[in-house]
Amino acid sequence: MEITHFKTAKGIYSNPVVLSDAPDPTIIRAQDGNFYLYSTGVGIHRSADLVKWIRVGEAFTEVGKPKWEPGGGLWAPDINYIDGQYVMYYSMSVWGGTQTCGIGVATSDKPEGPFTDRGKLFRSNEIGVENSIDPFYIEDNGKKYLFWGSWFGIHGTELTDDGLALKEGAEKQKIGGTAYEASYIHKRGKYYYLFTSMGSCCEELKSTYTTVVGRSENLWGPYVNKSGGRMLDNKHEIVIQGNAFFKGPGHNSEIITDKDGDDWIFYHAWEVANPSRGRQALMDKIIWENDWPVIKNKTPSSTSEAPVF
């Protein structure tokens, strides 16, 4: 029997798409048309198609690095374009410094930086939320908000019009329970989707990190699972969990829509074949079923059809 090979119009890609340590990815399509991925560190990668990535440098010069948390690392950035400039929120912490860690903000005219640090927005012990890391920015109904949190509840508050400070008098509000960190909110149709991660992120192939989601018709919740259980009570739906090839998939990025209208999500995971590379960046397509985000088999793909741009 003759075997016939069919070639689709779409290309094929393989995971991971960033073959080096790139944890906690955040992505933006910049004004130059390219995509930029920022990760804990804060290293920057660039791509034209979400598949082929090259490292373009660091967000901060050595002299320009934030210094308000002595000895602190720069974790889990969140990149945005606000009022004509690139605005990056970042966590700064020493390991285990749950009271003194906090969130800062930096700006640049170019997506590849260098970024100018604008300083600390708050520390945990100043805002009353332990382990205040993992920032996420969103605009809704003309207002700007920041969400954050790790294992002590997901919280949010309003920012100033330029996004560079907390709005005076704004109160914080809790929207997620104590099982979660790494929040990201995506608006689609009438629903807001709160993506978070749970489990252990950083134990190499023993990592249990899992990406989960709930949805709400209001930015401030309540976010619920399919049965109506609240994320405030640590109830959720699983989006991505580990498999035989990748362990600990989590801390997802913003969702990017391609030319065909397909949605793509990035996250990090440990590759079983190459754990020494650290938490590499992976990409998968989201399929929407009954207004719920689904990844095929709820696990990372090894190969798949590529996005179209």
PDB file of all heavy atoms in Angstrom, residues 238-270:
ATOM      1  N   ILE A 238      -9.007  22.360  36.077  1.00  0.00           N
ATOM      2  CA  ILE A 238      -7.624  22.175  35.635  1.00  0.00           C
ATOM      3  C   ILE A 238      -7.497  22.497  34.150  1.00  0.00           C
ATOM      4  O   ILE A 238      -8.314  22.056  33.334  1.00  0.00           O
ATOM      5  CB  ILE A 238      -7.152  20.741  35.910  1.00  0.00           C
ATOM      6  CG1 ILE A 238      -7.047  20.496  37.418  1.00  0.00           C
ATOM      7  CG2 ILE A 238      -5.803  20.465  35.230  1.00  0.00           C
ATOM      8  CD1 ILE A 238      -6.679  19.082  37.793  1.00  0.00           C
ATOM      9  N   VAL A 239      -6.483  23.268  33.810  1.00  0.00           N
ATOM     10  CA  VAL A 239      -6.202  23.615  32.416  1.00  0.00           C
ATOM     11  C   VAL A 239      -5.011  22.813  31.893  1.00  0.00           C
ATOM     12  O   VAL A 239      -5.074  22.203  30.830  1.00  0.00           O
ATOM     13  CB  VAL A 239      -5.929  25.123  32.260  1.00  0.00           C
ATOM     14  CG1 VAL A 239      -5.654  25.477  30.794  1.00  0.00           C
ATOM     15  CG2 VAL A 239      -7.090  25.947  32.785  1.00  0.00           C
ATOM     16  N   ILE A 240      -3.897  22.817  32.631  1.00  0.00           N
ATOM     17  CA  ILE A 240      -2.689  22.105  32.205  1.00  0.00           C
ATOM     18  C   ILE A 240      -2.052  21.437  33.414  1.00  0.00           C
ATOM     19  O   ILE A 240      -1.819  22.089  34.440  1.00  0.00           O
ATOM     20  CB  ILE A 240      -1.641  23.051  31.570  1.00  0.00           C
ATOM     21  CG1 ILE A 240      -2.274  24.046  30.591  1.00  0.00           C
ATOM     22  CG2 ILE A 240      -0.559  22.243  30.842  1.00  0.00           C
ATOM     23  CD1 ILE A 240      -1.342  25.153  30.156  1.00  0.00           C
ATOM     24  N   GLN A 241      -1.731  20.161  33.261  1.00  0.00           N
ATOM     25  CA  GLN A 241      -0.999  19.452  34.296  1.00  0.00           C
ATOM     26  C   GLN A 241       0.123  18.650  33.629  1.00  0.00           C
ATOM     27  O   GLN A 241       0.158  18.502  32.410  1.00  0.00           O
ATOM     28  CB  GLN A 241      -1.930  18.539  35.086  1.00  0.00           C
ATOM     29  CG  GLN A 241      -2.690  17.540  34.255  1.00  0.00           C
ATOM     30  CD  GLN A 241      -3.818  16.879  35.027  1.00  0.00           C
ATOM     31  OE1 GLN A 241      -3.953  17.047  36.228  1.00  0.00           O
ATOM     32  NE2 GLN A 241      -4.660  16.113  34.326  1.00  0.00           N
ATOM     33  N   GLY A 242       1.026  18.125  34.423  1.00  0.00           N
ATOM     34  CA  GLY A 242       2.183  17.442  33.879  1.00  0.00           C
ATOM     35  C   GLY A 242       1.852  16.132  33.190  1.00  0.00           C
ATOM     36  O   GLY A 242       0.784  15.549  33.380  1.00  0.00           O
ATOM     37  N   ASN A 243       2.804  15.649  32.378  1.00  0.00           N
ATOM     38  CA  ASN A 243       2.682  14.353  31.726  1.00  0.00           C
ATOM     39  C   ASN A 243       4.045  13.659  31.729  1.00  0.00           C
ATOM     40  O   ASN A 243       4.940  14.062  32.479  1.00  0.00           O
ATOM     41  CB  ASN A 243       2.108  14.491  30.307  1.00  0.00           C
ATOM     42  CG  ASN A 243       2.946  15.388  29.408  1.00  0.00           C
ATOM     43  OD1 ASN A 243       4.138  15.625  29.663  1.00  0.00           O
ATOM     44  ND2 ASN A 243       2.340  15.890  28.350  1.00  0.00           N
ATOM     45  N   ALA A 244       4.226  12.654  30.905  1.00  0.00           N
ATOM     46  CA  ALA A 244       5.474  11.894  30.920  1.00  0.00           C
ATOM     47  C   ALA A 244       6.661  12.686  30.384  1.00  0.00           C
ATOM     48  O   ALA A 244       7.814  12.331  30.651  1.00  0.00           O
ATOM     49  CB  ALA A 244       5.300  10.610  30.098  1.00  0.00           C
ATOM     50  N   PHE A 245       6.377  13.772  29.657  1.00  0.00           N
ATOM     51  CA  PHE A 245       7.446  14.532  29.015  1.00  0.00           C
ATOM     52  C   PHE A 245       7.759  15.846  29.719  1.00  0.00           C
ATOM     53  O   PHE A 245       8.889  16.339  29.659  1.00  0.00           O
ATOM     54  CB  PHE A 245       7.079  14.813  27.554  1.00  0.00           C
ATOM     55  CG  PHE A 245       6.794  13.570  26.771  1.00  0.00           C
ATOM     56  CD1 PHE A 245       5.490  13.176  26.520  1.00  0.00           C
ATOM     57  CD2 PHE A 245       7.825  12.770  26.299  1.00  0.00           C
ATOM     58  CE1 PHE A 245       5.212  12.023  25.811  1.00  0.00           C
ATOM     59  CE2 PHE A 245       7.563  11.615  25.591  1.00  0.00           C
ATOM     60  CZ  PHE A 245       6.253  11.235  25.343  1.00  0.00           C
ATOM     61  N   PHE A 246       6.754  16.428  30.378  1.00  0.00           N
ATOM     62  CA  PHE A 246       6.926  17.731  31.017  1.00  0.00           C
ATOM     63  C   PHE A 246       6.303  17.708  32.411  1.00  0.00           C
ATOM     64  O   PHE A 246       5.186  17.212  32.587  1.00  0.00           O
ATOM     65  CB  PHE A 246       6.269  18.834  30.180  1.00  0.00           C
ATOM     66  CG  PHE A 246       6.863  18.984  28.802  1.00  0.00           C
ATOM     67  CD1 PHE A 246       6.210  18.458  27.697  1.00  0.00           C
ATOM     68  CD2 PHE A 246       8.071  19.637  28.618  1.00  0.00           C
ATOM     69  CE1 PHE A 246       6.751  18.587  26.429  1.00  0.00           C
ATOM     70  CE2 PHE A 246       8.623  19.768  27.352  1.00  0.00           C
ATOM     71  CZ  PHE A 246       7.965  19.248  26.251  1.00  0.00           C
ATOM     72  N   LYS A 247       7.005  18.275  33.366  1.00  0.00           N
ATOM     73  CA  LYS A 247       6.528  18.318  34.742  1.00  0.00           C
ATOM     74  C   LYS A 247       6.367  19.776  35.194  1.00  0.00           C
ATOM     75  O   LYS A 247       7.137  20.654  34.812  1.00  0.00           O
ATOM     76  CB  LYS A 247       7.518  17.608  35.671  1.00  0.00           C
ATOM     77  CG  LYS A 247       7.787  16.153  35.312  1.00  0.00           C
ATOM     78  CD  LYS A 247       6.526  15.300  35.390  1.00  0.00           C
ATOM     79  CE  LYS A 247       6.834  13.831  35.081  1.00  0.00           C
ATOM     80  NZ  LYS A 247       5.610  12.999  35.097  1.00  0.00           N
ATOM     81  N   GLY A 248       5.353  19.983  36.022  1.00  0.00           N
ATOM     82  CA  GLY A 248       5.161  21.283  36.645  1.00  0.00           C
ATOM     83  C   GLY A 248       4.800  22.421  35.709  1.00  0.00           C
ATOM     84  O   GLY A 248       5.363  23.510  35.816  1.00  0.00           O
ATOM     85  N   PRO A 249       3.840  22.221  34.779  1.00  0.00           N
ATOM     86  CA  PRO A 249       3.472  23.318  33.866  1.00  0.00           C
ATOM     87  C   PRO A 249       2.631  24.386  34.560  1.00  0.00           C
ATOM     88  O   PRO A 249       1.572  24.088  35.110  1.00  0.00           O
ATOM     89  CB  PRO A 249       2.668  22.602  32.774  1.00  0.00           C
ATOM     90  CG  PRO A 249       2.054  21.433  33.482  1.00  0.00           C
ATOM     91  CD  PRO A 249       3.060  21.000  34.521  1.00  0.00           C
ATOM     92  N   GLY A 250       3.109  25.616  34.539  1.00  0.00           N
ATOM     93  CA  GLY A 250       2.355  26.666  35.214  1.00  0.00           C
ATOM     94  C   GLY A 250       2.884  28.057  34.963  1.00  0.00           C
ATOM     95  O   GLY A 250       3.764  28.275  34.141  1.00  0.00           O
ATOM     96  N   HIS A 251       2.351  28.999  35.735  1.00  0.00           N
ATOM     97  CA  HIS A 251       2.616  30.438  35.625  1.00  0.00           C
ATOM     98  C   HIS A 251       2.476  30.897  34.168  1.00  0.00           C
ATOM     99  O   HIS A 251       3.429  31.291  33.510  1.00  0.00           O
ATOM    100  CB  HIS A 251       3.980  30.822  36.180  1.00  0.00           C
ATOM    101  CG  HIS A 251       4.021  32.261  36.603  1.00  0.00           C
ATOM    102  ND1 HIS A 251       4.320  32.652  37.883  1.00  0.00           N
ATOM    103  CD2 HIS A 251       3.761  33.407  35.915  1.00  0.00           C
ATOM    104  CE1 HIS A 251       4.261  33.975  37.961  1.00  0.00           C
ATOM    105  NE2 HIS A 251       3.912  34.443  36.778  1.00  0.00           N
ATOM    106  N   ASN A 252       1.234  30.843  33.700  1.00  0.00           N
ATOM    107  CA  ASN A 252       0.974  31.142  32.295  1.00  0.00           C
ATOM    108  C   ASN A 252       1.047  32.619  31.968  1.00  0.00           C
ATOM    109  O   ASN A 252       0.895  33.487  32.828  1.00  0.00           O
ATOM    110  CB  ASN A 252      -0.394  30.598  31.879  1.00  0.00           C
ATOM    111  CG  ASN A 252      -1.542  31.219  32.625  1.00  0.00           C
ATOM    112  OD1 ASN A 252      -1.832  30.797  33.748  1.00  0.00           O
ATOM    113  ND2 ASN A 252      -2.200  32.203  32.037  1.00  0.00           N
ATOM    114  N   SER A 253       1.244  32.884  30.696  1.00  0.00           N
ATOM    115  CA  SER A 253       1.343  34.246  30.171  1.00  0.00           C
ATOM    116  C   SER A 253      -0.026  34.777  29.757  1.00  0.00           C
ATOM    117  O   SER A 253      -1.050  34.107  29.890  1.00  0.00           O
ATOM    118  CB  SER A 253       2.242  34.241  28.931  1.00  0.00           C
ATOM    119  OG  SER A 253       1.547  33.601  27.848  1.00  0.00           O
ATOM    120  N   GLU A 254       0.001  35.971  29.193  1.00  0.00           N
ATOM    121  CA  GLU A 254      -1.167  36.501  28.508  1.00  0.00           C
ATOM    122  C   GLU A 254      -1.538  35.595  27.338  1.00  0.00           C
ATOM    123  O   GLU A 254      -0.687  34.913  26.759  1.00  0.00           O
ATOM    124  CB  GLU A 254      -0.870  37.907  27.956  1.00  0.00           C
ATOM    125  CG  GLU A 254      -0.627  38.958  29.009  1.00  0.00           C
ATOM    126  CD  GLU A 254       0.796  38.957  29.563  1.00  0.00           C
ATOM    127  OE1 GLU A 254       1.598  38.069  29.198  1.00  0.00           O
ATOM    128  OE2 GLU A 254       1.111  39.842  30.373  1.00  0.00           O
ATOM    129  N   ILE A 255      -2.805  35.595  26.965  1.00  0.00           N
ATOM    130  CA  ILE A 255      -3.258  34.834  25.806  1.00  0.00           C
ATOM    131  C   ILE A 255      -3.087  35.688  24.556  1.00  0.00           C
ATOM    132  O   ILE A 255      -3.479  36.857  24.519  1.00  0.00           O
ATOM    133  CB  ILE A 255      -4.724  34.401  25.976  1.00  0.00           C
ATOM    134  CG1 ILE A 255      -4.825  33.335  27.087  1.00  0.00           C
ATOM    135  CG2 ILE A 255      -5.311  33.878  24.670  1.00  0.00           C
ATOM    136  CD1 ILE A 255      -6.240  32.987  27.470  1.00  0.00           C
ATOM    137  N   ILE A 256      -2.472  35.099  23.519  1.00  0.00           N
ATOM    138  CA  ILE A 256      -2.223  35.784  22.254  1.00  0.00           C
ATOM    139  C   ILE A 256      -3.117  35.167  21.181  1.00  0.00           C
ATOM    140  O   ILE A 256      -3.176  33.944  21.035  1.00  0.00           O
ATOM    141  CB  ILE A 256      -0.745  35.646  21.827  1.00  0.00           C
ATOM    142  CG1 ILE A 256       0.187  36.199  22.914  1.00  0.00           C
ATOM    143  CG2 ILE A 256      -0.503  36.343  20.489  1.00  0.00           C
ATOM    144  CD1 ILE A 256       0.100  37.694  23.116  1.00  0.00           C
ATOM    145  N   THR A 257      -3.803  36.012  20.401  1.00  0.00           N
ATOM    146  CA  THR A 257      -4.667  35.542  19.328  1.00  0.00           C
ATOM    147  C   THR A 257      -3.960  35.694  17.991  1.00  0.00           C
ATOM    148  O   THR A 257      -3.425  36.762  17.680  1.00  0.00           O
ATOM    149  CB  THR A 257      -5.984  36.336  19.314  1.00  0.00           C
ATOM    150  OG1 THR A 257      -6.616  36.228  20.593  1.00  0.00           O
ATOM    151  CG2 THR A 257      -6.931  35.805  18.244  1.00  0.00           C
ATOM    152  N   ASP A 258      -3.947  34.619  17.179  1.00  0.00           N
ATOM    153  CA  ASP A 258      -3.258  34.693  15.888  1.00  0.00           C
ATOM    154  C   ASP A 258      -4.202  35.163  14.785  1.00  0.00           C
ATOM    155  O   ASP A 258      -5.373  35.502  15.035  1.00  0.00           O
ATOM    156  CB  ASP A 258      -2.586  33.356  15.549  1.00  0.00           C
ATOM    157  CG  ASP A 258      -3.574  32.243  15.166  1.00  0.00           C
ATOM    158  OD1 ASP A 258      -4.783  32.520  15.024  1.00  0.00           O
ATOM    159  OD2 ASP A 258      -3.121  31.093  15.024  1.00  0.00           O
ATOM    160  N   LYS A 259      -3.703  35.174  13.547  1.00  0.00           N
ATOM    161  CA  LYS A 259      -4.458  35.715  12.422  1.00  0.00           C
ATOM    162  C   LYS A 259      -5.708  34.891  12.116  1.00  0.00           C
ATOM    163  O   LYS A 259      -6.693  35.410  11.585  1.00  0.00           O
ATOM    164  CB  LYS A 259      -3.549  35.776  11.179  1.00  0.00           C
ATOM    165  CG  LYS A 259      -4.129  36.579  10.031  1.00  0.00           C
ATOM    166  CD  LYS A 259      -3.084  36.856   8.967  1.00  0.00           C
ATOM    167  CE  LYS A 259      -2.690  35.596   8.238  1.00  0.00           C
ATOM    168  NZ  LYS A 259      -1.807  35.893   7.067  1.00  0.00           N
ATOM    169  N   ASP A 260      -5.662  33.606  12.475  1.00  0.00           N
ATOM    170  CA  ASP A 260      -6.822  32.742  12.242  1.00  0.00           C
ATOM    171  C   ASP A 260      -7.841  32.800  13.378  1.00  0.00           C
ATOM    172  O   ASP A 260      -8.855  32.101  13.342  1.00  0.00           O
ATOM    173  CB  ASP A 260      -6.370  31.290  12.062  1.00  0.00           C
ATOM    174  CG  ASP A 260      -5.781  31.037  10.679  1.00  0.00           C
ATOM    175  OD1 ASP A 260      -5.798  31.967   9.842  1.00  0.00           O
ATOM    176  OD2 ASP A 260      -5.300  29.913  10.442  1.00  0.00           O
ATOM    177  N   GLY A 261      -7.550  33.601  14.398  1.00  0.00           N
ATOM    178  CA  GLY A 261      -8.457  33.704  15.523  1.00  0.00           C
ATOM    179  C   GLY A 261      -8.217  32.665  16.603  1.00  0.00           C
ATOM    180  O   GLY A 261      -8.999  32.576  17.559  1.00  0.00           O
ATOM    181  N   ASP A 262      -7.154  31.857  16.458  1.00  0.00           N
ATOM    182  CA  ASP A 262      -6.822  30.883  17.487  1.00  0.00           C
ATOM    183  C   ASP A 262      -6.077  31.548  18.641  1.00  0.00           C
ATOM    184  O   ASP A 262      -5.278  32.472  18.433  1.00  0.00           O
ATOM    185  CB  ASP A 262      -5.956  29.758  16.908  1.00  0.00           C
ATOM    186  CG  ASP A 262      -6.734  28.864  15.948  1.00  0.00           C
ATOM    187  OD1 ASP A 262      -7.941  28.663  16.186  1.00  0.00           O
ATOM    188  OD2 ASP A 262      -6.131  28.377  14.973  1.00  0.00           O
ATOM    189  N   ASP A 263      -6.325  31.061  19.847  1.00  0.00           N
ATOM    190  CA  ASP A 263      -5.711  31.618  21.055  1.00  0.00           C
ATOM    191  C   ASP A 263      -4.587  30.717  21.539  1.00  0.00           C
ATOM    192  O   ASP A 263      -4.726  29.480  21.574  1.00  0.00           O
ATOM    193  CB  ASP A 263      -6.761  31.769  22.165  1.00  0.00           C
ATOM    194  CG  ASP A 263      -7.727  32.903  21.890  1.00  0.00           C
ATOM    195  OD1 ASP A 263      -7.333  33.867  21.217  1.00  0.00           O
ATOM    196  OD2 ASP A 263      -8.887  32.820  22.345  1.00  0.00           O
ATOM    197  N   TRP A 264      -3.482  31.353  21.980  1.00  0.00           N
ATOM    198  CA  TRP A 264      -2.276  30.639  22.386  1.00  0.00           C
ATOM    199  C   TRP A 264      -1.828  31.113  23.755  1.00  0.00           C
ATOM    200  O   TRP A 264      -1.877  32.295  24.064  1.00  0.00           O
ATOM    201  CB  TRP A 264      -1.165  30.857  21.355  1.00  0.00           C
ATOM    202  CG  TRP A 264      -1.574  30.383  19.999  1.00  0.00           C
ATOM    203  CD1 TRP A 264      -2.280  31.089  19.061  1.00  0.00           C
ATOM    204  CD2 TRP A 264      -1.371  29.080  19.451  1.00  0.00           C
ATOM    205  NE1 TRP A 264      -2.515  30.305  17.958  1.00  0.00           N
ATOM    206  CE2 TRP A 264      -1.968  29.081  18.166  1.00  0.00           C
ATOM    207  CE3 TRP A 264      -0.735  27.925  19.921  1.00  0.00           C
ATOM    208  CZ2 TRP A 264      -1.934  27.947  17.344  1.00  0.00           C
ATOM    209  CZ3 TRP A 264      -0.706  26.806  19.101  1.00  0.00           C
ATOM    210  CH2 TRP A 264      -1.299  26.828  17.825  1.00  0.00           C
ATOM    211  N   ILE A 265      -1.397  30.149  24.560  1.00  0.00           N
ATOM    212  CA  ILE A 265      -0.977  30.452  25.921  1.00  0.00           C
ATOM    213  C   ILE A 265       0.433  29.899  26.137  1.00  0.00           C
ATOM    214  O   ILE A 265       0.776  28.814  25.647  1.00  0.00           O
ATOM    215  CB  ILE A 265      -1.974  29.860  26.934  1.00  0.00           C
ATOM    216  CG1 ILE A 265      -1.742  30.413  28.335  1.00  0.00           C
ATOM    217  CG2 ILE A 265      -1.949  28.354  26.926  1.00  0.00           C
ATOM    218  CD1 ILE A 265      -2.868  30.084  29.300  1.00  0.00           C
ATOM    219  N   PHE A 266       1.259  30.660  26.823  1.00  0.00           N
ATOM    220  CA  PHE A 266       2.606  30.243  27.194  1.00  0.00           C
ATOM    221  C   PHE A 266       2.649  29.954  28.693  1.00  0.00           C
ATOM    222  O   PHE A 266       1.886  30.509  29.478  1.00  0.00           O
ATOM    223  CB  PHE A 266       3.620  31.346  26.872  1.00  0.00           C
ATOM    224  CG  PHE A 266       3.995  31.416  25.424  1.00  0.00           C
ATOM    225  CD1 PHE A 266       3.093  31.841  24.474  1.00  0.00           C
ATOM    226  CD2 PHE A 266       5.265  31.059  25.003  1.00  0.00           C
ATOM    227  CE1 PHE A 266       3.432  31.909  23.133  1.00  0.00           C
ATOM    228  CE2 PHE A 266       5.620  31.118  23.677  1.00  0.00           C
ATOM    229  CZ  PHE A 266       4.700  31.545  22.730  1.00  0.00           C
ATOM    230  N   TYR A 267       3.581  29.100  29.073  1.00  0.00           N
ATOM    231  CA  TYR A 267       3.780  28.755  30.476  1.00  0.00           C
ATOM    232  C   TYR A 267       5.148  28.100  30.578  1.00  0.00           C
ATOM    233  O   TYR A 267       5.807  27.833  29.554  1.00  0.00           O
ATOM    234  CB  TYR A 267       2.676  27.792  30.958  1.00  0.00           C
ATOM    235  CG  TYR A 267       2.521  26.565  30.097  1.00  0.00           C
ATOM    236  CD1 TYR A 267       3.162  25.367  30.410  1.00  0.00           C
ATOM    237  CD2 TYR A 267       1.742  26.603  28.929  1.00  0.00           C
ATOM    238  CE1 TYR A 267       3.042  24.250  29.601  1.00  0.00           C
ATOM    239  CE2 TYR A 267       1.621  25.494  28.118  1.00  0.00           C
ATOM    240  CZ  TYR A 267       2.273  24.320  28.449  1.00  0.00           C
ATOM    241  OH  TYR A 267       2.165  23.218  27.643  1.00  0.00           O
ATOM    242  N   HIS A 268       5.615  27.853  31.780  1.00  0.00           N
ATOM    243  CA  HIS A 268       6.894  27.163  31.903  1.00  0.00           C
ATOM    244  C   HIS A 268       6.682  25.736  32.404  1.00  0.00           C
ATOM    245  O   HIS A 268       5.655  25.415  32.998  1.00  0.00           O
ATOM    246  CB  HIS A 268       7.860  27.922  32.814  1.00  0.00           C
ATOM    247  CG  HIS A 268       7.498  27.903  34.272  1.00  0.00           C
ATOM    248  ND1 HIS A 268       7.274  29.038  35.006  1.00  0.00           N
ATOM    249  CD2 HIS A 268       7.325  26.874  35.142  1.00  0.00           C
ATOM    250  CE1 HIS A 268       6.984  28.704  36.253  1.00  0.00           C
ATOM    251  NE2 HIS A 268       7.011  27.393  36.358  1.00  0.00           N
ATOM    252  N   ALA A 269       7.675  24.883  32.150  1.00  0.00           N
ATOM    253  CA  ALA A 269       7.635  23.504  32.642  1.00  0.00           C
ATOM    254  C   ALA A 269       9.055  22.940  32.626  1.00  0.00           C
ATOM    255  O   ALA A 269       9.946  23.455  31.949  1.00  0.00           O
ATOM    256  CB  ALA A 269       6.717  22.644  31.780  1.00  0.00           C
ATOM    257  N   TRP A 270       9.235  21.870  33.386  1.00  0.00           N
ATOM    258  CA  TRP A 270      10.498  21.119  33.390  1.00  0.00           C
ATOM    259  C   TRP A 270      10.395  20.014  32.345  1.00  0.00           C
ATOM    260  O   TRP A 270       9.471  19.207  32.364  1.00  0.00           O
ATOM    261  CB  TRP A 270      10.750  20.489  34.754  1.00  0.00           C
ATOM    262  CG  TRP A 270      10.890  21.484  35.870  1.00  0.00           C
ATOM    263  CD1 TRP A 270       9.895  21.974  36.665  1.00  0.00           C
ATOM    264  CD2 TRP A 270      12.099  22.089  36.325  1.00  0.00           C
ATOM    265  NE1 TRP A 270      10.403  22.860  37.591  1.00  0.00           N
ATOM    266  CE2 TRP A 270      11.767  22.944  37.407  1.00  0.00           C
ATOM    267  CE3 TRP A 270      13.441  21.986  35.939  1.00  0.00           C
ATOM    268  CZ2 TRP A 270      12.706  23.692  38.092  1.00  0.00           C
ATOM    269  CZ3 TRP A 270      14.389  22.740  36.621  1.00  0.00           C
ATOM    270  CH2 TRP A 270      14.022  23.578  37.685  1.00  0.00           C
TER     271      TRP A 270
END
